[in-house]
Amino acid sequence: MRLFRPPRRPAVLAWGLAAGFAALYACVAVNRYRRGLSKAYDLGIFEQAVRAYAHGQAPIVPLKGPGYHLLGDHFHPLIAVLAPVYRLFPGAVTLLVAQALLMALAVVPLTRWAYETGGPRVALVIGCVTGASWGIVRAVCDDFHEIAFAVPLLAFAATALGRRRHLAAALWSLPLLLVKEDLGLTVAAFGVLIAWQARRDRRGPLPGLVLAGVGVAATVLTVTVVLPSFNPHGGFDYWQQLGSGGQPSPWSLAARVGWPPIKWLLLFLLAATAGFLGLRSPLVLLCAPTLGWRLLSANPHYWGVSYHYSAVLMPLVIAALVDALTRTDPRRARRALAVSALVAAVTVPVYPLHEVVMPEAWRTSPRLVHTRALLGSIPDGATVAASNRLAAQLTGRATVTLVCREPTGPGPEWVVVDRTDPSVQSPCATADTARMLVEYERRGYRRVVDQDSLVLLQRP
């Protein structure tokens, strides 16, 4: 007797899995926020931007600096669509729940395509692999980021491309231009593959080539014109992360792609998530633009399997797997699905999704109670300089800056610091935080609380 039989209707299976993963994502993300594990970089930054949009204002983000316009950092105007919901339900939890829903939505097109390809069992595996994929889980449980919009768009676009529905693929990919500046190159990759498929099908490649040109032009325009026009320094802040200076040679670029070995782990996990079989699909080439800038970058955060940077790759490698399943024998298909499912199962204990069944993750410690009471003593609408994690708890009801930044004007009304905040390097080094605490007290700020590594100062 079978213990579980997948639903015979693909829509029921796809939307059921998506709803289940959305609930899991939201539980873990909101609980991490409740426990004070969220950070100003990046949840606080995006909340300040969406809060400004919700009140009809430009996305000025004090956490990035005085008068800092966030469209001078990255080009992500699509996050403004969250403004009406935030206006109704103000607070960081709104962003976390919205991200959970958006990320889980990627399960739907891939599951339905897998159902058409291999039936309900294959669809069940693909849906679970997508929802539990390490890149998505890591991103959805780690604050909020603009790529929450990219994940479902990429899933729908890649599925349409795999089904050779070129117009649908183009229409699903175009909104990526409003998610982040580098995704224009991914749109261009969609255009190239559409043109290639059209030529093989003896159709005109021109629409695909036009889409490719639009993607490249959009990236060039945003990086060279739009972002510098909003940036306080008049440039694109991330050029320096694409290299270490000087004119790189082809050999140095090749060496940079494969070194240090943490990059091998990234590539291996991506290939394994695709069951290795997905490497035979042309859809895997859609990963090239994102992998290109990540592997060539001088920023070590981009090289590995932490943070949120791999979320946009998950729907692409899984779409490549589904596409490859349509052109292989059943034995290889089962092996590939088993490898992909094994990767998802092995990585679940490593990434935060497992916290949903950990009793200690749901406890409220005495220190957490004390922290809440401390933050509750700061009135709504106040100006506050805070350490990284405490700042994320205040951005919904106060004007918040980072404590390690030099104050402007008379300074904030309140200063609140958690000396145990692990953000010892970025965005606030421990030494800078300690120095500013001394500076604030030198200016006459009164120490209201100094207990359990929590410090609260008030401006006289």
Side-chain angles (χ1 to χ4, degrees):
M1 181 181 294
R2 294 179 183 174
L3 297 178
F4 176 75
R5 178 176 297 175
R8 291 294 177 183
R9 295 172 61 186
V12 173
L13 177 60
W15 286 102
L17 286 174
F21 278 110
L24 287 175
Y25 297 160
C27 282
V28 175
V30 173
N31 189 49
R32 289 175 69 84
Y33 175 76
R34 179 192 70 86
R35 293 158 59 200
L37 300 180
S38 300
K39 302 174 288 293
Y41 276 54
D42 292 303
L43 178 59
I45 287 173
F46 281 106
E47 184 177 11
Q48 287 185 335
V50 174
R51 186 184 180 193
Y53 282 132
H55 290 86
Q57 301 168 358
I60 303 301
V61 176
L63 283 167
K64 291 285 289 184
Y68 193 101
H69 198 298
L70 198 59
L71 289 182
D73 184 47
H74 288 298
F75 188 70
H76 38 51
L78 196 58
I79 65 171
V81 303
L82 296 177
V85 181
Y86 186 90
R87 189 66 184 264
L88 292 174
F89 306 100
V93 170
T94 296
L95 271 64
L96 296 174
V97 173
Q99 178 170 254
L101 295 174
L102 287 166
M103 294 278 199
L105 190 59
V107 172
V108 175
L110 293 168
T111 301
R112 299 194 68 166
W113 185 23
Y115 198 107
E116 296 174 6
T117 300
R121 292 183 183 177
V122 172
L124 179 63
V125 173
I126 291 297
C128 291
V129 164
T130 303
S133 59
W134 52 275
I136 290 178
V137 169
R138 185 65 180 88
V140 83
C141 299
D142 185 24
D143 296 339
F144 175 91
H145 299 92
E146 70 282 277
I147 51 93
F149 289 93
V151 171
L153 288 171
L154 288 166
F156 280 101
T159 297
L161 184 59
R163 290 168 161 171
R164 279 179 154 71
R165 297 176 180 175
H166 294 166
L167 178 59
L171 293 177
W172 280 114
S173 68
L174 280 172
L176 293 169
L177 301 177
L178 304 178
V179 176
K180 202 174 175 209
E181 63 278 358
D182 65 283
L183 289 172
L185 299 179
T186 301
V187 173
F190 272 99
V192 170
L193 284 183
I194 288 173
W196 177 74
Q197 284 186 355
R199 188 169 183 179
R200 290 192 64 185
D201 297 341
R202 303 195 178 200
R203 289 184 285 173
L206 183 60
L209 296 177
V210 170
L211 180 65
V214 169
V216 172
T219 294
V220 172
L221 180 66
T222 54
V223 169
T224 61
V225 178
V226 179
L227 289 169
S229 68
F230 289 107
N231 189 280
H233 307 111
F236 180 51
D237 284 341
Y238 299 92
W239 281 127
Q240 70 275 13
Q241 296 189 7
L242 297 179
S244 54
Q247 186 69 29
S249 66
W251 296 110
S252 66
L253 288 176
R256 194 187 300 172
V257 168
W259 195 262
I262 186 65
K263 297 178 181 179
W264 306 346
L265 175 61
L266 170 64
L267 296 174
F268 173 80
L269 271 181
L270 289 172
T273 300
F276 298 106
L277 184 66
L279 300 181
R280 300 172 60 181
S281 167
L283 295 185
V284 79
L285 297 175
L286 296 171
C287 298
T290 297
L291 282 176
W293 69 257
R294 286 181 63 183
L295 297 180
L296 291 174
S297 171
N299 186 341
H301 291 160
Y302 298 153
W303 303 339
V305 295
S306 298
Y307 305 104
H308 59 284
Y309 302 111
S310 296
V312 296
L313 299 175
M314 296 296 102
L316 300 179
V317 296
I318 295 170
L321 170 58
V322 178
D323 182 52
L325 291 176
T326 64
R327 297 188 298 273
T328 192
D329 60 85
R331 185 171 59 87
R332 287 185 178 178
R334 287 193 296 269
R335 188 185 307 155
L337 289 169
V339 170
S340 186
L342 180 62
V343 171
V346 168
T347 54
V348 162
V350 179
Y351 292 94
L353 198 60
H354 70 279
E355 292 179 2
V356 75
V357 295
M358 292 176 59
E360 58 270 25
W362 296 92
R363 297 192 183 111
T364 302
S365 66
R367 191 176 191 277
L368 182 56
V369 173
H370 177 51
T371 303
R372 289 177 183 169
L374 179 74
L375 296 177
S377 65
I378 298 174
D380 292 352
T383 56
V384 187
S387 52
N388 194 20
R389 287 188 172 179
L390 295 182
Q393 303 290 320
L394 294 166
T395 47
R397 63 183 186 88
T399 300
V400 187
T401 58
L402 287 174
V403 68
C404 56
R405 302 265 170 82
E406 291 286 344
T408 58
E413 298 167 303
W414 300 85
V415 177
V416 60
V417 170
D418 181 358
R419 288 197 180 106
T420 64
D421 192 320
S423 308
V424 294
Q425 292 182 340
S426 178
C428 281
T430 302
D432 291 335
T433 299
R435 175 179 59 81
M436 287 308 302
L437 280 176
V438 172
E439 174 64 18
Y440 278 120
E441 290 195 286
R442 187 189 67 80
R443 295 187 179 197
Y445 279 67
R446 179 172 61 92
R447 187 167 294 214
V448 180
V449 176
D450 188 352
Q451 181 183 352
D452 201 13
S453 298
L454 294 167
V455 179
L456 178 65
L457 307 180
Q458 184 178 14
R459 189 178 70 194

